[in-house]
Amino acid sequence: MRPSSFLFVLAFGLDAAFARRAAPRATQNPAGVTGTRKSSFLKNVAGIPPVPPAAKVAATAFPVNDIQGDIIVGMQKPKELFYFFSIGDAASFKTHLAKDIAPILTSAEQMLNTTQQPLVLLNMAFSQAGLTTLGVLDSLGDTSFTLGQIKAIQTLAEKSDGWQQEFKGTGIHGVMLLASDTVDLINQQVAFLETTFGSSMRKVYALDGAMRPGALAGHEMFGYKDGIAQPALDGFGDTHPGQLVVPPGMILTGMDGDSGVRPVDGWMTGGSFLVFRQLEQLVPEFDKFLLDNAPIVEGKTLQERADLLGARMVGRWKSGAPIDLSPNQDDPALGNDVNRNNNFDFTHDGLDFKSDQSRCPFSAHIRKSRPRADVSSNISIMRSGIPYGGEVTAAEAASNTTSQARGLAFVSYQSSIAKGFEFIQKAWVNAPGFVFGKDVQPGFDPIVGQNFGGPRNVTGLDPNDTHKQLTLPLEFVVSRGGEYFFSPPISAFTGRLVA
Ligand code: HEM
Ligand SMILES: *[C@@H]1O[C@H](CO)[C@@H](O)[C@H](O)[C@H]1NC(C)=O
Ligand SMILES: *[C@@H]1O[C@H](CO)[C@@H](O)[C@H](O)[C@H]1NC(C)=O
Ligand SMILES: *[C@@H]1O[C@H](CO)[C@@H](O)[C@H](O)[C@H]1NC(C)=O
Ligand SMILES: *[C@@H]1O[C@H](CO)[C@@H](O)[C@H](O)[C@H]1NC(C)=O
Ligand SMILES: *[C@@H]1O[C@H](CO)[C@@H](O)[C@H](O)[C@H]1NC(C)=O
């Protein structure tokens, strides 16, 4: 076992032991965290589009008071706990669901309107095993969801060896998402929820997410600003230049443009499938690779050349500035400007679209996961994850070796897992031939492309010779597993889920 996973298991074991010791607090009957806010707990990070204004959204036909809030708030939460549970006695669990949980689930409307925002966001979603346990036997119209994420590993080109044990079977029935500006508020709400459910719910696993500190807020663990490019739901609030407008049914089940076959009574309308992935990031190893393979560019320091390689792998500089608009150096003003930082499609006058990678490589993460002008397609997911684990320590940086697990608690929402997350992972980022029709095979997405942990060939990274192939010896992002969930509309918590 690698030291990092050993520490992880140890930490989890202690946590479980602590939870057992703390069990008697059930008799203390803590109150739920109630109260309203004067200002939104969502953190405004320059360059990450803010949530749409409540007034604009109120004027639309969207059932915003029925859609769970996390689906539309993206990556702006300061702290978030993922609490994975199993259901004990289904009848008792359902009683609590309808009576105690439904009233405190946070809707999209509440998240957009600060005067309605709770101190702690609470959302809840269920796996297929969870719905079966509840006796909800309808087909939700999504085969990937029905099978569960562990069944997808072969086609996702990953191995289960590194998976967190809890994700390997069907023991996770659901997940609660709790988000706030402080861990304290989240813990208070967890205590309330555990007391309320009593033995009808058991914690199986938990993962703490947090924005990175200070100026790194909004940046993922490799250092790049994350959460910039999100699809806009047609008719819902503001759009920014370059944003992909998709039919709402691409993200929300039962809405316009949803091609899935859903139960006829419409109880799924306004829900969304939630893909959770614990993606560990080997940050010191990644940084060393950039230094060791930095392209030769006259007039740049070694660090600047390493930064250029990293930016070409991602398709953006650390500030969020797209390399398609600023190919040679970072431009923080561009990265911070929501009206410019997403306004590109990889085409330029006089640039040969088939062969010219002097700006964005065909293999860059943002080009592989959203090919813009390369393909005519609306394939899109709403990303709502958050980093987990601590900052890289001085010892880790000096040794070029990860010893404390950190990464991205990846969350995506879509109305079809096969056409959303799985399609992007399988047909695009993992497919060396994609983007098709270029003068060179692009190879894997160097950030998230998977090849069962084996080496990955990539072209386009050296601006001097874009046909040159670089072999990435290891995956810098390692899947620790996850699960597929359905995030139902809030009305289902007093309706179909408890019928
Ligand atoms: C640890 C793993 C990951 C890291 C570090 C990462 C990092 C990033 C960064 C820095 C961006 C650019 C900023 C932005 O537009 O928000 C981005 C965009 C994006 N990522 Fe990832 N990502 C990861 C995993 C994934 C996975 C697993 C998928 C889907 C299979 C994915 C899909 C996307 C998409 C669709 C975009 C937006 C592209 C666009 O519209 O321009 N990412 N990611
Ligand atoms: C925000 O919520 C308050 C309290 O419910 C309400 O009075 C106000 O009209 C809402 N604002 C908008 C723009 O919907
Ligand atoms: C993409 O979505 C837009 C907006 O809803 C729609 O007009 C267009 O037809 C869609 N394109 C494809 C290829 O589905
Ligand atoms: C290409 O490589 C040469 C040396 O091999 C170097 O002088 C030049 O600056 C490089 N050009 C670019 C655009 O990287
Ligand atoms: C870490 O990697 C850098 C870049 O390759 C190298 O200069 C340094 O010597 C390495 N440190 C150790 C302890 O291996
Ligand atoms: C990567 O490239 C090397 C060298 O060209 C080749 O031997 C190997 O088969 C390639 N690997 C894959 C997975 O294509």
Side-chain angles (χ1 to χ4, degrees), residues 121-337:
L121 169 143
L122 175 66
N123 276 191
M124 196 186 247
F126 296 91
S127 67
Q128 177 63 67
L131 291 185
T132 305
T133 303
L134 290 179
V136 178
L137 303 178
D138 307 4
S139 165
L140 267 48
D142 191 293
T143 307
S144 307
F145 169 77
T146 303
L147 294 172
Q149 195 174 120
I150 184 74
K151 292 279 167 42
I153 55 169
Q154 188 66 28
T155 58
L156 294 174
E158 70 187 71
K159 295 186 194 155
S160 65
D161 311 15
W163 273 41
Q164 194 62 40
Q165 192 58 38
E166 291 80 0
F167 289 127
K168 287 190 184 178
T170 51
I172 292 178
H173 291 163
V175 60
M176 291 194 280
L177 275 49
L178 294 103
S180 188
D181 41 1
T182 77
V183 170
D184 223 46
L185 284 170
I186 290 177
N187 289 343
Q188 283 178 47
Q189 191 69 312
V190 167
F192 167 73
L193 292 165
E194 287 177 342
T195 304
T196 300
F197 277 115
S199 62
S200 71
M201 181 203 69
R202 192 179 66 83
K203 171 171 155 183
V204 177
Y205 178 59
L207 188 66
D208 277 307
M211 270 191 168
R212 296 183 63 193
L216 294 168
H219 295 243
E220 51 69 46
M221 285 293 182
F222 292 138
Y224 301 86
K225 193 176 286 169
D226 199 5
I228 299 170
Q230 300 271 31
L233 306 186
D234 202 2
F236 186 85
D238 286 343
T239 59
H240 294 91
Q243 215 179 348
L244 179 67
V245 178
V246 301
M250 180 155 293
I251 306 298
L252 298 164
T253 48
M255 307 259 314
D256 281 355
D258 173 18
S259 55
V261 179
R262 312 299 176 197
V264 287
D265 65 4
W267 75 265
M268 286 176 68
T269 300
S272 190
F273 289 98
L274 184 172
V275 171
F276 178 86
R277 308 255 299 153
Q278 182 174 331
L279 299 176
E280 186 173 337
Q281 293 176 253
L282 305 179
V283 180
E285 291 84 349
F286 177 77
D287 286 343
K288 175 176 166 55
F289 183 86
L290 297 184
L291 286 169
D292 292 349
N293 295 278
I296 308 294
V297 182
E298 242 157 70
K300 280 193 191 293
T301 65
L302 172 61
Q303 187 59 55
E304 285 166 348
R305 295 189 284 116
D307 289 346
L308 174 65
L309 178 59
R312 291 182 69 83
M313 287 184 176
V314 173
R316 291 185 184 272
W317 297 91
K318 288 187 173 175
S319 74
I323 54 171
D324 188 57
L325 299 181
S326 181
N328 297 320
Q329 65 281 312
D330 200 351
D331 178 351
L334 172 60
N336 289 344
D337 185 345

Side-chain angles (χ1 to χ4, degrees), residues 352-432:
D352 183 349
F353 199 51
K354 212 171 161 257
S355 62
D356 192 334
Q357 301 188 71
S358 60
R359 287 169 179 268
C360 190
F362 303 140
S363 59
H365 175 50
I366 68 158
R367 192 157 184 177
K368 284 283 233 177
S369 60
R370 181 184 163 199
R372 299 188 190 228
D374 288 318
V375 298
S376 65
S377 149
N378 266 355
I379 296 291
S380 199
I381 55 180
M382 199 73 102
R383 291 170 300 131
S384 201
I386 189 166
Y388 72 89
E391 292 294 301
V392 172
T393 64
E396 288 180 293
S399 64
N400 299 318
T401 309
T402 298
S403 59
Q404 303 177 20
R406 65 179 60 74
L408 182 67
F410 174 88
V411 171
S412 72
Y413 290 101
Q414 53 266 293
S415 65
S416 161
I417 296 170
K419 292 180 191 163
F421 161 70
E422 284 188 351
F423 184 87
I424 295 174
Q425 186 75 49
K426 292 196 282 198
W428 289 353
V429 305
N430 285 359

